[in-house]
Amino acid sequence: MAKVTIIGAGAMGSALIVPLADNGHEVRLWGTELDGEIIDSLRKGLPHPKHKHRLPSEIATYQVTELEEAMLDTELVIMAITSDALENVFDKVVPFLKEGVIVGSVSKGFNYDQNGRIVILPEILENTLPETLRNKVPIVVVGGPCKAIEVVWKSPTAVTYSSNNVEAAKYMQSILMTDVYRVEVTDDVIGTEVCAAMKNAYSVGLGMAEGFKAKNGFLHNNTKAALFTFAVAEMGILTKAMGGSLEAVIGLPGVGDLEVTGEAGRNRTLGELIGGGLTASKAVEKMREEGITVEGYPAIKFGYYLAKQLESEEKLSLDQLPLLRGLYSILYENAPAYGKIKELLQNCTGYYKI
Amino acid sequence: MAKVTIIGAGAMGSALIVPLADNGHEVRLWGTELDGEIIDSLRKGLPHPKHKHRLPSEIATYQVTELEEAMLDTELVIMAITSDALENVFDKVVPFLKEGVIVGSVSKGFNYDQNGRIVILPEILENTLPETLRNKVPIVVVGGPCKAIEVVWKSPTAVTYSSNNVEAAKYMQSILMTDVYRVEVTDDVIGTEVCAAMKNAYSVGLGMAEGFKAKNGFLHNNTKAALFTFAVAEMGILTKAMGGSLEAVIGLPGVGDLEVTGEAGRNRTLGELIGGGLTASKAVEKMREEGITVEGYPAIKFGYYLAKQLESEEKLSLDQLPLLRGLYSILYENAPAYGKIKELLQNCTGYYKI
């Protein structure tokens, strides 16, 4: 039985309690300053306010002020924090980390490092560690198609854990894998992370194809499937330019996660609103008013600037990424979605040279 | 302006009239003996009975007895026949073929050659040609995500034309491509064909994941996305064993066509019935009673026997294809769908080694 601390009581962090509890581990769930009400609810035995489901009752819950207790003698820490808050929260966790503790991360996205370069999130974590812990606290990232609520329901799920330290990833696999939560292990951190971030960006595009029905009065499944293919090709180009492998792209972190994100979720909804005729700025505003943050929106901007960064390093050319450029132009320059998608369909290629 | 003869007045054959007419070509639509009523309807100016849409009125229509007229001086013949009838119908077309006429094929699937080996459809066409026309009538096959009705509606669509004779594929592209019907050209006939056939098989599995909601009371999007990934991996293994390229698999013919087939259609519906709790034999019977043929059903059998054939030739091992084996077992041995899928999820790999 391992001691596992989950940092962040949102949808995904809380969902992972289910396989952990099924495997009989001691689980501590720590809530950030934004999670106070969630922790209160769970302590009262009420359902999780996001899942609307009761979680296994044997877990221990910790409020924002109780981090030290939550971290006591822990063997595995799982960071389940939104990408923009990850660094700040990890900063608070670090003083309680010891050599050999493993840090898993389910956060997905990009961020800027101290030099203003766009990097993947494990680099942010690595940079936050003090010198004394560098390379002594292995970091494991999670990719693949995984709606949190379905982990709670126990829909059969398959995900990828990736780490430069494969043994650490295998350890985390041994702690979490169940007969309905399959974990594959790879050493391709970059591939897993680039796909995890970019699938949010591209699924906004898939949502647009769904939205064209409202605009034009008929289905655009062919368009969606074409965009899906172009997205896979462009994720391949970005991943390889970053130093990741194509295996991640055609595996669970790429193709798999793009499929599930294109089926349902916030990114798709944002795209659907835009495809249906709302301007991008109105659509983003509408979702913000409803309190919904859409990861795909910043991911498109990060992806586009990352591509520029990679172009300046002569690792790719923006011309290879017509879909990403088109999405940027629709989301940030208010280009009309239907016209843009129709136009870029002529310039994309669905036959990606390996 | 080219003279183009479409053989078969079903959904896909008729749909291609739209880009052809948009490009100003002379189109002749010939109906098989099963298409008599369709041709009658079109001649009366009524909508196509399958699409429920009016087709461009300037096309010429031909009944089964008028094949010679339909073929007169034609430059491009497009075979739009179900895979099981393709050979018989092509046999009738062959006497009217001349050297240099190009034969396109939108039929998808496998069949047996004279020696009882499972082969891709262009081989069937090639073998049907008399010696005098071998290699003188280039064959071009069509792959990629393309619901026929959406070609009629002009939803932006992207497809792949493949031929050993790339010039012929480019010619066909020049005849059909429009601003909403994009055509990419490749020389990978095998990759395009294996994906075109196998995506029908695997999308039955995707449908099962949709059906599990009816059975279990909650969504299985994670399961569907995992199966999607495993399907892509297995299409890669089959395609490479057949001599095709991975580019087709991660391109429009593979990933793209699997995506659209998993979104909607007969194959998915069959899977959904089975996932929802019907035995496979009852589900197939139910669809047959409604007059619906499901290409995925024979495709699973063909795929499984093709894999055995390739195993006996030491080109792959059946152990590499747990999803295909599982689907065969559900469809042809009445294995329980949910249990089987849950089990095979433990044995599949979503990290296909390139």
Side-chain angles (χ1 to χ4, degrees), chain A residues 145-148 150-151 153-158 160 177-182 184-188 192 206 210 212 218-226 228-230 232-233 245-248 250-253 255-257 259-260 262-264 268 338 341-342 344-354, chain B residues 145-148 150-151 153-158 160 177-182 184-188 192 206 210 212 218-226 228-230 232-233 245-248 250-253 255-257 259-260 262-264 268 338 341-342 344-354:
Chain A
C146 188
K147 297 270 175 199
E150 295 195 10
V151 176
W153 291 333
K154 301 191 185 183
S155 296
T157 297
T160 303
M177 188 152 83
T178 71
D179 70 334
V180 286
Y181 181 77
R182 155 130 197 205
E184 297 189 8
V185 166
T186 84
D187 64 357
D188 183 13
T192 298
L206 302 184
E210 297 282 350
F212 294 155
F218 49 85
L219 284 171
H220 288 67
N221 284 337
N222 289 357
T223 313
K224 185 179 179 188
F228 188 94
T229 315
F230 303 147
V232 172
S245 81
L246 208 56
E247 277 91 349
I250 67 169
L252 292 166
V255 158
D257 205 357
E259 203 280 336
V260 82
E263 284 273 348
R268 184 188 128 142
Y338 185 70
I341 295 287
K342 191 175 145 186
L344 67 82
L345 199 91
Q346 298 290 326
N347 303 318
C348 284
T349 170
Y351 201 76
Y352 174 60
K353 280 283 162 205
I354 291 164
Chain B
C146 187
K147 298 268 175 203
E150 295 195 10
V151 176
W153 291 334
K154 301 191 184 182
S155 296
T157 297
T160 303
M177 188 152 85
T178 71
D179 69 335
V180 287
Y181 181 77
R182 156 130 196 201
E184 296 191 7
V185 166
T186 84
D187 63 356
D188 183 13
T192 298
L206 302 183
E210 298 281 350
F212 294 156
F218 49 84
L219 284 171
H220 288 67
N221 283 336
N222 289 358
T223 314
K224 186 179 180 188
F228 188 94
T229 315
F230 304 147
V232 172
S245 80
L246 208 55
E247 278 90 349
I250 67 169
L252 293 166
V255 159
D257 205 355
E259 202 280 335
V260 82
E263 284 273 350
R268 185 189 128 142
Y338 185 69
I341 295 286
K342 192 176 144 185
L344 67 82
L345 199 92
Q346 298 290 326
N347 303 319
C348 285
T349 171
Y351 202 76
Y352 174 63
K353 280 283 161 205
I354 290 164

Side-chain angles (χ1 to χ4, degrees), chain B residues 270-288:
Chain B
L270 174 64
E272 211 168 333
L273 291 172
I274 297 168
L278 278 194
T279 61
S281 43
K282 285 235 172 75
V284 171
E285 196 187 306
K286 184 176 152 71
M287 292 190 74
R288 261 195 207 126

Side-chain angles (χ1 to χ4, degrees), chain A residues 1-12:
Chain A
M1 194 175 84
K3 295 184 180 67
V4 181
T5 306
I6 298 170
I7 300 294
M12 186 56 83

